[in-house]
Amino acid sequence: MGRQEAWQAELDWLFARQRFGVHPGLGRVQALLARLGDPQASFRTVLVGGTNGKGSTAATLAAMLRAGGVRVGLFTSPHLTRFTERFVVDGQELPEDVVAAALARVRPEAEAVEASFFEIVTALGALLFAQAGVQVAVMEVGLGGRLDSTNALDPVLSVVTNVALDHTEFLGDTLEAIAGEKAGILRAGRPAVVGVAPQVQSIFAAQGADLWRLDDHLLGTRLLGWEGAQVTLRGVTLSTPLLGAHGARNAALAALAALRLGLPAEAVTRGAASVQWPGRLEVIAWQGGRVLLDGAHNPDGARALASALRELGVGPLPLVFGAAGDKDISGVASALRSCASEVILTRAALSPRAADPQALASLFAGLPVTVTDSPAAALAVLAARHAPLALVCGSLYLLGEVRPLLLGEAGASRERWQ
């Protein structure tokens, strides 16, 4: 068996673990980590949770730590195109052979404790970061917080970006219930940074952490259009390439976390300016125009996207849209209607939960709607429009398949499973 075949075999085994579904709880992942020698004990951990914005906040914080001379690991999920995107050390995605060797080590231990997909991926990240000798691992929390696999690691600092309705079948159907789950990553007596709304702040305060609220430290934000934003906090002023008010807020939250970790202001500003986070208001030049990619897949994220487009002075534009059937698609579509001049509906080929694009047409009644059967077909329709600017959003699966096509790379692989 060749190296690529061996790698694919390991991935096939791992993704097959998804058949066990989501089983919140820390017992299995703790057992798995113990069988691996508790690799997480060799580095300090920062957990970054929240409903939206946690990926860009985590990536920005990792960039700041790296600028400060800290050897840093960044764990994020899901990936867009390659599974190895989830494991980054000092700004570099770990190579397939390194990840494959670590996964081969994890596999028998994971089978012994009957670990689920995300439990295995979390333990794999801890092992990879220990092997790479990272000093700090910035770990993006998956589902919720309190019972998420990443919470088996013991954070020196916890960050929560915001709280909104999503994954209500697992986390509860009120903001207060979801806040209670997300507050579970805080530790009593340890520092925490939160950007949550006032109505749920008391839930976070009740955890007994040394809590810093972003709004108590954020002095001002100046949006700079397509250049990003300038953010002023107590002790530092920084510029970020992240677009929109929500991007600026995520950068501010990362900066506050970096300051709490003792980074100097100079490292905070250099790191903020260098961050890159694909698929979140990412601009890609294509066919003489530009395409915006954004992973907005719940109503709160879609509203933030719509607000950012208004801030950028963008009028109605062609929208390529596809979504997972288990999301609040109606709420997402409602937030995006005013942004669209027309809608090209499609579905991600590799998404096990993709909604039938024909069934989505009624959500955009009153707008010109075209239904296509694949992302490639949707882009062919978009190309015929010769629009100077277009938007693709609704599902990270969709972005994972569209992005390589826009960049002229190989099509999305089987690794696009989450």
Side-chain angles (χ1 to χ4, degrees), residues 155-243:
V156 298
L157 171 71
S158 303
V159 181
V160 178
T161 58
N162 55 25
V163 174
L165 296 177
D166 199 14
H167 299 295
T168 54
E169 69 275 27
F170 298 108
L171 305 180
D173 57 6
T174 67
L175 289 180
E176 289 75 17
I178 294 173
E181 293 298 318
K182 296 193 181 296
I185 68 170
L186 274 61
R187 298 292 191 270
R190 295 189 191 171
V193 174
V194 300
V196 302
Q199 72 186 90
V200 296
Q201 285 185 2
S202 62
I203 295 171
F204 291 85
Q207 302 301 308
D210 180 11
L211 195 65
W212 280 15
R213 300 172 180 84
L214 176 60
D215 290 334
D216 294 337
H217 297 264
L218 181 60
L219 301 181
T221 298
R222 185 163 67 93
L223 300 182
L224 304 175
W226 295 101
E227 299 302 314
Q230 184 180 79
V231 175
T232 301
L233 291 160
R234 299 184 192 280
V236 66
T237 295
L238 59 91
S239 295
T240 175
L242 298 176
L243 299 179

Side-chain angles (χ1 to χ4, degrees), residues 38 77 83-86 97 112 116 137 179 186 202 205 262 366 372 379 386:
D38 283 319
S77 63
F83 177 71
T84 49
E85 294 169 14
R86 297 170 182 250
D97 58 344
S116 67
L186 274 61
S202 62
T372 67
L379 289 184
H386 302 289

Side-chain angles (χ1 to χ4, degrees), residues 138-165:
V138 180
M139 306 284 291
E140 179 186 356
V141 176
L143 184 64
R146 181 175 64 92
L147 299 177
D148 185 75
S149 297
T150 57
N151 205 31
L153 280 65
D154 196 23
V156 298
L157 171 71
S158 303
V159 181
V160 178
T161 58
N162 55 25
V163 174
L165 296 177

